[in-house]
Amino acid sequence: MTSELKPSHARVPLLAYALLFAIFLFWTAYGQWSQYNLDQFADMVENHAWGIRWQLGNVNHPPLFGWITAAWFKIFPRTDLAYRFLAAANIAVSYLVMLHIAKRFLNSRQIVVALAVALALPLLGFMSLTYNANSAMLPFWALSFLAYLRILEKGRIADALQLGLWTALAMLSKYLSAVLLLAILVHSLADPSARRLWRSALPVAAAAVFAVVLMPHLVWLYRNDFTSFEFAVAKQGARTASNILGSQVEFFFAQVLYALPGFGVAALHRRWRDGQPLFAMHQFMALTETARGRALLSVGLLPIPLTMLLGLIVWAPLTSNWSVPFFIFAPILIVLQLPAPLVDRHPRTAPVFIIGFIACLLALSPFIRGIVLSQGRANSDLPVADIIHEADDVWFDITGAPLMYTNGDRILAFGATFYSRFTPMAFNENALVRGDWITRDDIAEHGYMILCLSESCADRPDFEDRDEIKRVLTVPPPKGASRKSDYTVTLFIRPPEG
């Protein structure tokens, strides 16, 4: 091991751990108090609907974040608050791993500033409160890079095995994680101090674990005509030149805008004529002097151009919020551009910011909730849980049996899997055609309920004799919503056979 690869770490201070715990509680409470539904776009109930099937893949995404959701609710009750805990825990674990990466590059006071920067970055907070494929990548990206750093430092097989595991789990969260693998690969091949690893058994060990963990999903992909991969590539919007090239420009500049709040936190340490350069480029460029520093630059910066390049290769438009996991390394890179003497001069600035940020947002959360309800965007004011509870009662009054399967409007069909006391599974016609986890015989035996905000939503199985019973529910909007009239929900019920 060369001297530049030997570990040299600061300590993560106890203050950082205490503030991290406060941040975990904050994101839980803020999500619960500021939002009426879990999220506007039904992503979180969709996670649950996919997860409880325990399949090796899904029509739109790899399966891991659905499995995590389903496993979480094997332990915790199916409530919005428990789901907020999951989203907040995902964020907090990601921050924790980031701090243990940061201690290789920052001193103890700078580590606390990095935590404040992470709290301010929208992609690592507000946008990650919606637990979905993008936010699910966060901890696995951080853990993957931490394992890679340990390989550079100690060259142990155990760390190589971990690298294979975490990168495979990152891929099972979202295929976009391929750009992380590419960034690590580029560094391992281009960096003189890292190339020596290829003369050892470490890459073989990492690749073997990666392949073993990923193989079942790859088999599923092959057997299901690569449906989720097709969604990732071909169903992200119009594949016209203007749309794709426009999304490239938007994607690039969005990354700059997403980073600005982090630089704002760093700017709180500045004073007029403080005698320090605007940016501490000597600190930042010092990363180029060590293998671990060059590795950080690779994983912290390369995913952006690599994603843009892959978008052009597969000719697909990009979406800016895909970059959620890219930003788990941003706090370290941002703090390195703040002159270290300023951090030493103002050690209370970062903790005060964190406490103030938490206090202000918690105080504002009821008002934010009111704004969300009054605007009524997407499904933000739809009383999903109330609708499902009433639909449960109608189903049981008619059938006297547990509800096993639902269909219809996406947010209601998936929402039923989470809010219904029966925990049904949501299906669509494609699932029946593939017959992977449900067959026509299953729904004929157990029946189903289709929940529609409009009758045109019904995607009913093609039975010659459906024997469907139609019921109409009227459910009032929540207090404070801009909508004043009741929601009308049409139920199509096919009772179980016998």
Side-chain angles (χ1 to χ4, degrees), residues 410-434:
R410 177 172 173 265
I411 191 167
L412 296 182
F414 291 154
T417 73
F418 187 74
Y419 293 111
S420 170
R421 65 181 183 268
F422 302 114
T423 320
M425 292 193 286
F427 71 96
N428 59 23
E429 187 66 22
N430 290 332
L432 294 176
V433 171
R434 293 197 307 268

Side-chain angles (χ1 to χ4, degrees), residues 215-435:
M215 185 57 65
H217 177 63
L218 295 177
V219 173
W220 181 93
L221 273 175
Y222 176 77
R223 290 178 176 174
N224 288 272
D225 301 320
F226 296 91
T227 53
S228 52
F229 186 76
E230 180 185 359
F231 174 84
V233 172
K235 296 183 179 180
Q236 299 302 319
R239 302 178 78 181
T240 62
S242 60
N243 189 44
I244 289 172
L245 296 178
S247 75
Q248 292 267 327
V249 174
E250 291 176 9
F251 182 84
F252 177 80
F253 284 104
Q255 311 315 308
V256 178
L257 293 176
Y258 285 142
L260 288 181
F263 283 100
V265 172
L268 295 176
H269 294 78
R270 306 306 305 242
R271 301 293 183 272
W272 179 250
R273 295 181 178 177
D274 56 24
Q276 296 295 323
L278 184 60
F279 296 105
M281 294 308 297
H282 64 288
Q283 292 176 182
F284 188 81
M285 295 308 297
L287 292 174
T288 63
E289 298 172 4
T290 64
R292 72 171 66 89
R294 293 187 291 269
L296 177 63
L297 289 173
S298 183
V299 300
L301 300 178
L302 279 183
I304 295 172
L306 287 173
T307 300
M308 296 174 70
L309 178 61
L310 286 177
L312 293 175
I313 291 172
V314 301
W315 200 242
L318 305 177
T319 302
S320 63
N321 62 6
W322 290 354
S323 55
V324 166
F326 304 178
F327 273 72
I328 195 59
F329 312 114
I332 306 170
L333 297 175
I334 290 172
V335 172
L336 283 171
Q337 296 178 65
L338 174 66
L342 295 179
V343 177
D344 292 332
R345 286 182 205 171
H346 310 290
R348 295 186 180 89
T349 298
V352 168
F353 169 80
I354 292 173
I355 294 169
F357 185 95
I358 289 173
C360 289
L361 266 294
L362 289 181
L364 289 172
S365 57
F367 301 99
I368 295 171
R369 180 187 178 95
I371 293 170
V372 168
L373 283 171
S374 65
Q375 291 178 340
R377 293 178 180 173
N379 301 303
S380 61
D381 63 345
L382 181 67
V384 180
D386 293 343
I387 290 171
I388 300 307
H389 295 156
E390 291 201 24
D392 266 0
D393 293 339
V394 172
W395 167 269
F396 195 75
D397 288 344
I398 291 173
T399 69
L403 175 63
M404 299 291 291
Y405 300 113
T406 61
N407 198 331
D409 275 317
R410 177 172 173 265
I411 191 167
L412 296 182
F414 291 154
T417 73
F418 187 74
Y419 293 111
S420 170
R421 65 181 183 268
F422 302 114
T423 320
M425 292 193 286
F427 71 96
N428 59 23
E429 187 66 22
N430 290 332
L432 294 176
V433 171
R434 293 197 307 268

Side-chain angles (χ1 to χ4, degrees), residues 85-165:
F85 269 113
L86 171 58
N90 185 67
I91 294 171
V93 169
S94 304
Y95 286 9
L96 177 62
V97 180
M98 182 274 293
L99 295 180
H100 282 273
I101 294 170
K103 71 182 185 180
R104 291 161 165 79
F105 306 98
L106 308 175
N107 64 37
S108 295
R109 286 177 174 170
Q110 287 176 313
I111 288 171
V112 177
V113 180
L115 186 59
V117 169
L119 180 63
L121 292 172
L123 289 175
L124 298 185
F126 295 107
M127 298 180 73
S128 291
L129 273 179
T130 298
Y131 184 70
N132 57 18
N134 294 322
S135 55
M137 288 185 283
L138 272 172
F140 300 114
W141 276 51
L143 287 164
S144 296
F145 183 57
L146 182 59
Y148 182 61
L149 285 177
R150 287 173 172 167
I151 291 172
L152 291 175
E153 294 165 352
K154 299 180 180 180
R156 299 183 309 186
I157 286 289
D159 295 317
L161 298 177
Q162 286 190 52
L163 177 63
L165 172 63

